[in-house]
Amino acid sequence: MTKLKAEDARRAIVEHTRRLGESAAAAGPDAAVPTTPGWTISDLVEHVGQSQNWVSEIIERRITDPTQLPTEMAVLPADPREWQAWLSESAQRVAGACSDDALDAPVFNPAADERSGTRFWMSSALNEAVVHGFDAANVAGRPADIDADIAAALISNHLAMLTSPTWEMLRSESAHAIRGTGQTLQWLAIDTADDAGAWFVERRPGGATWQPGTRQADVTVTGPARSLLLALTRRLPLTDREAADINVDGDTALAQHWLDNTAHVSG
């Protein structure tokens, strides 16, 4: 799995949350967010801040039992002028919770993979800040730069969650839809080193699986890691190659079917 150094992940959470706050202020609280249908900027800010505080509590309390996950959520300030400070505090809190001392502590990992719970939640918090940061920037007409190594790590995180036992339990409709009879998809980033930007997916009768590296595939989607991440999270349309700087070689319908059936729980 493509990994980021914990220090880099913590720094990115804070930085992308800061950018999100600035974009939200520029867009205004009532602005609609096209990439999260039905949401306004107010909903977006509330979701990210609440998620960061919720994740922080899980790690701080070293929760290992999923039945003990927090049930109370942080309250969004009523005054939008306070939102940037509120988001800054929530980002700093989750970055602090993911300290080096906590990285390998016993904490519940919903993906049930080889990562520690803290490392899973750190990736989740980073995903929220980066992807929803793009949502807010898109509304505000601001640039949304995403470093290739960050995008690559989030693609690995995204695929790990989609192919996990937890996804089967929580999103059985999605998990069943992406099963198959051996169809293969490949995602290749053109701006990462070595095999850090190569993901091979196989749709098997028992469930979809993925592994790093390159192989012959029914469809190969190539582009910058940022564009691949935004396509996988349905922020950029796969077929809008000019906007996404993406090339699709092979069965485009197969790749589109994967995207259509893999909307992430967190938005």
Side-chain angles (χ1 to χ4, degrees):
M1 179 179 295
T2 309
K3 295 181 180 179
L4 277 179
K5 293 181 179 178
E7 179 181 358
D8 294 335
R10 293 188 291 258
R11 185 184 303 112
I13 289 170
V14 172
E15 173 61 19
H16 281 272
T17 304
R18 180 190 65 78
R19 297 181 196 174
L20 189 158
E22 291 178 350
S23 294
D30 298 325
V33 184
T35 44
T36 54
W39 282 22
T40 64
I41 285 292
S42 176
D43 297 320
L44 195 70
V45 171
E46 182 177 47
H47 172 75
V48 172
Q50 287 183 338
S51 296
Q52 290 179 341
N53 281 292
W54 188 75
V55 166
S56 298
E57 185 174 349
I58 292 171
I59 300 170
E60 290 164 355
R61 290 172 49 194
R62 302 292 194 267
I63 293 175
T64 58
D65 182 350
T67 66
Q68 300 301 311
L69 293 173
T71 56
E72 296 186 6
M73 305 300 285
V75 178
L76 177 72
D79 187 347
R81 291 173 296 183
E82 299 177 11
W83 289 358
Q84 286 179 268
W86 184 69
L87 285 172
S88 176
E89 291 173 2
S90 66
Q92 292 287 351
R93 181 184 179 190
V94 74
C98 297
S99 66
D100 288 343
D101 290 342
L103 288 179
D104 296 314
V107 175
F108 171 61
N109 173 6
D113 55 25
E114 76 280 1
R115 291 174 290 179
S116 69
T118 298
R119 292 180 186 273
F120 166 84
W121 291 114
M122 183 167 61
S123 293
S124 178
L126 179 58
N127 183 76
E128 293 286 293
V130 169
V131 175
H132 287 315
F134 171 84
D135 294 332
N138 185 54
V139 177
R142 296 165 60 93
D145 296 332
I146 306 171
D147 289 345
D149 57 343
I150 291 173
L154 292 180
I155 291 171
S156 293
N157 177 70
H158 179 76
L159 293 174
M161 193 63 193
L162 292 176
T163 57
S164 71
T166 303
W167 191 258
E168 173 76 30
M169 291 186 291
L170 296 178
R171 297 293 302 277
S172 60
E173 182 177 349
S174 170
H176 292 170
I178 60 176
R179 290 177 178 178
T181 56
Q183 296 90 343
T184 53
L185 307 88
Q186 189 163 228
W187 308 85
L188 298 178
I190 61 175
D191 52 353
T192 57
D194 302 322
D195 288 335
W199 303 266
F200 181 83
V201 175
E202 185 172 3
R203 297 172 57 164
R204 299 173 176 174
T209 65
W210 82 276
Q211 59 184 314
T214 59
R215 293 173 59 184
Q216 187 68 32
D218 295 319
V219 59
T220 296
V221 184
T222 306
R226 171 190 183 276
S227 297
L228 297 182
L229 172 66
L230 294 174
L232 281 162
T233 54
R234 307 203 301 189
R235 266 56 190 184
L236 291 178
L238 186 66
T239 53
D240 189 352
R241 300 180 187 182
E242 182 177 351
D245 196 18
I246 283 175
N247 182 68
V248 182
D249 182 17
D251 189 349
T252 301
L254 179 62
Q256 189 62 55
H257 182 271
W258 176 272
L259 300 181
D260 290 343
N261 288 280
T262 52
H264 215 288
V265 168
S266 61

